[in-house]
Amino acid sequence: MRDPHTTKLGKHQLSPQSLMMGYGYDPRLSEGSLKPPIFLTSTFVFDSCADGKRFFEGITGKRSGGPEGLVYGRFNGPDQEILEDRLALWEGAEEAAVFSTGMSAITTALLAHVRAGEMILHSGPLYAATEKLIDAVLGRLGVEFANFPAGASLDDVRALIEASRSKSRIAVIYLESPANPTNELVDIAGIVRLRDELYAGDPASKPLIMVDNTFLGPVFQQPIKNGADLSLYSLTKYVGGHSDLVAGGVVGSKSALLPIMALRNTIGTISDPHTSWMLLRSLETVALRMERAEQNARSVCEFLRAHPKIARVGYLGFLDPTSAQGRIFSEHCSGAGSTFSVLVNGGEAEAFRMLDNLQLVKLAVSLGGTESLASHPASMTHLSVPDARRKQLGITDNLARVSIGIESANDLVADFAQALEHV
Ligand SMILES: Cc1ncc(COP(=O)(O)O)c(C=O)c1O
């Protein structure tokens, strides 16, 4: 492709898979290097004072539209810009911004859009640190919050929006779908329609809809296409995909992203050049990896579902298509991903025996890597969650959480088969 910013071959629209190899990068600007170099620099040289002035006007928001050129490593860099251009393509979004971690992406996005006295309405459960950020950190700064269960009906969400907006302005409706760790789905498109209907007469105070898309995005779910304003990522997981980096991303409309990028400039939560370069490499294979992991997960889940020592497998691919969750799945998701829960017959001892005897599958928290991981939420990631809340979320002592990778499916099934012989 001669023009690195074209997404078409004549009239033919190219897919993100093809564009991940070259989009946004012009080899002629880097000695013909096929791949973008890692630009290890803290600052950038201006051609003239007039350029410097114009770039700063964009950075500081004195002139709308964002920065026109590169200025300083805390604001942006070539690797980050190429990465942002490519990340946005997956959801057909106008803009993207990358961050040092998933949590710094979420924190910067919320801080940019919520003020003291305003409210965040969120689905529950959320990733534990996000829940803490909203309830404890932003709560301490005077931000109010209320939540509804991920699987709540639209009538219940409508009632909560109506009751909440009479008390405070709802600045953000924050969703996580599938939810970590329950895999429950939120009706993103339904909530977008509801928001648009309830605020039709008052568009100026319409809340932004943000969706944490870490579990299925960007390959199997694209909330921007369902009408969400912003889609947020822990790029540490499937996008990074090799368990060797931490990073975050936000994609969406330019108008919703500009304040977030301005705050990122101030507080310095951008991803570094090396990590951004690694993510460029990861994006070239994200579809291959996620598709293969998804096929593997189906094989493993089918084996586990039929096993006499397994009580239940909480896997999106097994949802009844006529159930409310099944309908949300078919409207929003093009695949079931590869993170699921396994309930072993018995309690903690039986779950530990299966987990301790897995050989190929490693015992570690996190998900979305090339290698399969398994953990025990009740005694690890969710140990500090009060017993009653843990029970409400269905995080029982016999539950293991599994993230399947891209190994051979036969080998993974063989590993679970031998581990279950010890139970
Ligand atoms: C759904 C979800 N969102 C956000 C995060 C936070 O991401 P990071 O660890 O990259 O800060 C995680 C991490 O596990 C997650 O699972």
Side-chain angles (χ1 to χ4, degrees), residues 101-103 106 127 130 176 180 212 214-215 234 236-237 247 367:
T101 66
M103 281 318 300
I106 295 167
Y127 175 60
T130 311
E176 184 176 297
N180 184 352
D212 184 328
T214 298
F215 268 43
S234 167
T236 313
K237 312 295 185 216
L367 56 108

Side-chain angles (χ1 to χ4, degrees), residues 363-400:
L363 187 60
V365 297
S366 199
L367 56 108
T370 46
E371 66 289 290
S372 298
L373 302 179
S375 63
H376 186 255
S379 66
M380 298 173 190
T381 45
H382 292 73
L383 186 63
S384 57
V385 176
D387 287 351
R389 173 81 173 143
R390 216 158 53 209
K391 202 167 166 198
Q392 190 189 22
L393 295 176
I395 304 171
T396 47
D397 288 342
N398 65 338
L399 182 147

Side-chain angles (χ1 to χ4, degrees), residues 43-298:
T43 195
F44 298 87
V45 178
F46 308 134
D47 266 355
S48 65
C49 285
D51 270 1
K53 183 178 175 187
R54 219 176 52 255
F55 296 172
F56 264 97
E57 283 170 350
I59 290 280
T60 55
K62 256 194 152 172
R63 197 177 29 74
S64 62
E68 264 180 43
L70 295 166
V71 172
Y72 181 62
R74 200 181 73 237
F75 307 153
N76 221 334
D79 298 291
Q80 292 93 326
E81 288 201 336
I82 301 165
L83 175 61
E84 287 167 347
D85 287 350
R86 291 187 191 172
L87 196 58
L89 290 176
W90 289 92
E91 299 215 30
E94 271 181 334
E95 193 65 84
V98 290
F99 294 85
S100 54
T101 66
M103 281 318 300
S104 71
I106 295 167
T107 305
T108 312
L110 286 174
L111 277 175
H113 283 291
V114 184
R115 276 157 197 74
E118 293 184 334
M119 179 177 261
I120 298 171
L121 218 61
H122 71 85
S123 60
L126 298 177
Y127 175 60
T130 311
E131 212 154 290
K132 190 169 182 180
L133 167 73
I134 294 175
D135 302 2
V137 183
L138 297 177
R140 207 177 58 212
L141 300 178
V143 174
E144 294 167 37
F145 57 87
N147 68 75
F148 55 91
S153 72
L154 289 179
D155 284 342
D156 288 348
V157 180
R158 175 191 292 273
L160 184 62
I161 295 178
E162 280 173 342
S164 305
R165 75 189 285 201
S166 64
K167 292 186 227 140
S168 323
R169 175 177 176 255
I170 304 170
V172 172
I173 299 178
Y174 187 96
L175 313 173
E176 184 176 297
S177 185
N180 184 352
T182 58
N183 258 6
E184 220 172 343
L185 298 168
V186 184
D187 185 353
I188 302 168
I191 291 177
V192 170
R193 284 193 297 270
L194 189 59
R195 186 259 329 244
D196 291 349
E197 177 204 319
L198 293 176
Y199 286 84
D202 183 15
S205 51
K206 200 156 111 167
L208 279 186
I209 296 186
M210 302 188 186
V211 184
D212 184 328
N213 195 31
T214 298
F215 268 43
L216 290 181
V219 174
F220 299 127
Q221 180 173 264
Q222 291 113 20
I224 300 299
K225 293 187 178 160
N226 294 116
D229 299 289
L230 293 168
S231 175
L232 294 88
Y233 289 84
S234 167
L235 299 174
T236 313
K237 312 295 185 216
Y238 286 98
V239 176
H242 298 72
S243 307
D244 55 7
L245 60 84
V246 284
V250 181
V251 310
S253 67
K254 205 166 182 135
S255 62
L257 264 156
L258 279 177
I260 298 171
M261 289 163 118
L263 184 62
R264 184 184 67 172
N265 291 343
T266 305
I267 62 178
T269 44
I270 194 167
S271 167
D272 67 89
H274 183 259
T275 303
S276 302
W277 183 91
M278 302 244 294
L279 283 161
L280 287 175
R281 188 176 179 136
S282 293
L283 275 179
E284 295 185 8
T285 56
V286 67
L288 287 180
R289 286 184 284 103
M290 288 189 78
E291 283 160 10
R292 170 65 179 267
E294 202 234 10
Q295 286 163 14
N296 282 354
R298 180 165 286 278

